[in-house]
Amino acid sequence: MERRTDTAVTDRLVGAPISWGVCEVPGWGLQLTPDRVLAEMAALGLRHTELGALGWLPLDGAQVKRQLADHGLDLVGGFVPVVVHEDDLSPTIAHARAAARQLADAGASLFVAALVTDLAWSAPVDLDDAGWARLGEHLATITDLVADEYDLELVLHPHVGTLVETAAQVDAALAHTDVSWCFDSGHLLIGGTDPVAFVQRHAERIAHVHLKDVDATLAAQVRDNTMTLVQATQHGLFRPLGAGDARIDDVVALLDESGYGRWLVLEQDLAITGSEPPADAGPALDVRRSIEFLSNSAPWRERVSQS
């Protein structure tokens, strides 16, 4: 892992459009425009972003790069659902190539893969050992493809509603794959995995980080299927960093101790169900709270005091 010694945490922070409510899920909520979201990211001091929902920014990667540059931003990576457990991998290869081409042309370096049942996000299927082995082989194929053809690094993202959601599925994916992971504190906790324990046990697998804080009570309702992810998000499942139950301070300290020095994505999923919030209010205020929390977290506070 790359070791960084930056004293300014903002050098490693990455914005996420979903923190402004941008999500492709039907019924999620109001979608704010790219110009508003990107301008507010820049005003908060962010210089990097992830892609956001498919189609929110242009499908042409070069256009994405120019649009981000207009706001002083560059692209780190993008979230890509892929189907790798089926016998026939050819449709996924075509889909992965299209997604990777957009990311590479836009200047990204990371292909953030979520393993879905199908691209319609049907309910996750249960895999036996043979299914997990096939998944691992196919994921390795996609990993090599995006690396060899597009110079992108694939990282595996655990996520509610995918084949890697529950604690048992996380363990199975760790055992049957050798790819790097996108550590997502929120989705791990919702699925029943302790994010602190994950860092302690698997820090060497972590190549990208999505920092989410969540309300544990609402997370339990998602885990127990008494509330959908959309419903829980609309009720405030995701909280500014430090305001939830994911022990983000401990997570950040452990990541730092492990030598992790790469991107930290601020990703507090938001669903805007009312009218559009005033400019620089609503989502921007919560993201600002998260930035301030990280800036005052132990690793960076200690470095600043020593500098």
Side-chain angles (χ1 to χ4, degrees):
M1 286 182 296
E2 178 186 359
R3 180 75 183 184
R4 297 281 293 272
T5 57
D6 300 322
T7 56
V9 65
T10 50
D11 290 344
R12 291 171 54 198
L13 293 186
V14 180
I18 200 168
S19 296
W20 276 262
V22 177
C23 182
E24 68 268 32
V25 175
W28 185 269
L30 178 68
Q31 306 293 294
L32 299 180
T33 66
D35 281 343
R36 169 173 175 172
V37 173
L38 300 177
E40 291 189 355
M41 283 186 188
L44 289 167
L46 297 172
R47 296 293 175 259
H48 319 281
T49 184
E50 286 199 341
L51 185 64
L54 183 65
W56 182 70
L57 291 175
L59 296 179
D60 178 82
Q63 291 184 44
V64 172
K65 192 171 186 176
R66 290 192 294 270
Q67 187 168 358
L68 294 180
D70 287 342
H71 295 276
L73 295 162
D74 59 39
L75 188 67
V76 166
F79 180 84
V80 185
V82 292
V83 180
V84 293
H85 63 288
E86 299 284 7
D87 291 329
D88 183 6
L89 191 61
S90 54
T92 295
I93 288 176
H95 168 70
R97 279 198 171 108
R101 185 178 304 112
Q102 180 196 24
L103 290 169
D105 288 349
S109 60
L110 290 164
F111 183 105
V112 184
L115 311 187
V116 293
T117 295
D118 53 45
L119 295 183
W121 283 71
S122 297
V125 296
D126 292 325
L127 300 179
D128 56 17
D129 286 343
W132 279 110
R134 182 170 59 249
L135 176 150
E137 292 171 4
H138 286 176
L139 187 60
T141 298
I142 300 301
T143 299
D144 291 342
L145 182 153
V146 301
D148 295 343
E149 297 185 16
Y150 300 97
D151 198 25
L152 295 173
E153 180 181 9
L154 183 146
V155 289
L156 173 57
H157 188 324
H159 198 288
V160 173
T162 72
L163 304 188
V164 187
E165 173 182 357
T166 68
Q169 290 166 343
V170 167
D171 288 343
L174 285 163
H176 287 87
T177 71
D178 58 6
V179 300
S180 298
W181 279 59
C182 171
F183 169 85
D184 187 299
S185 52
H187 280 286
L188 285 171
L189 181 57
I190 295 168
T193 296
D194 179 355
V196 171
F198 187 96
V199 178
Q200 291 171 327
R201 296 170 184 164
H202 307 294
E204 75 285 352
R205 299 285 293 267
I206 298 173
H208 193 43
V209 168
H210 285 180
L211 290 177
K212 285 188 176 74
D213 214 343
V214 298
D215 179 294
T217 300
L218 289 171
Q221 294 183 54
V222 176
R223 191 161 55 250
D224 295 341
N225 295 314
T226 57
M227 186 176 284
T228 68
L229 179 63
V230 174
Q231 291 169 337
T233 302
Q234 292 172 344
H235 282 81
L237 169 64
F238 297 97
R239 309 292 303 145
L241 297 184
D245 301 301
R247 298 166 60 196
I248 297 298
D249 221 348
D250 291 339
V251 164
V252 169
L254 285 168
L255 286 169
D256 187 67
E257 290 171 12
S258 76
Y260 179 82
R262 301 176 69 172
W263 301 117
L264 301 168
V265 183
L266 299 168
E267 203 179 45
Q268 288 72 59
D269 297 15
L270 174 71
I272 302 174
T273 55
S275 59
E276 181 170 339
D280 299 319
L285 295 180
D286 281 347
V287 176
R288 184 183 300 278
R289 287 179 62 187
S290 292
I291 293 172
E292 291 172 349
F293 175 83
L294 283 180
S295 297
N296 290 312
S297 64
W300 291 280
R301 186 173 63 246
E302 291 169 3
R303 288 179 193 155
V304 170
S305 67
Q306 294 167 5
S307 63

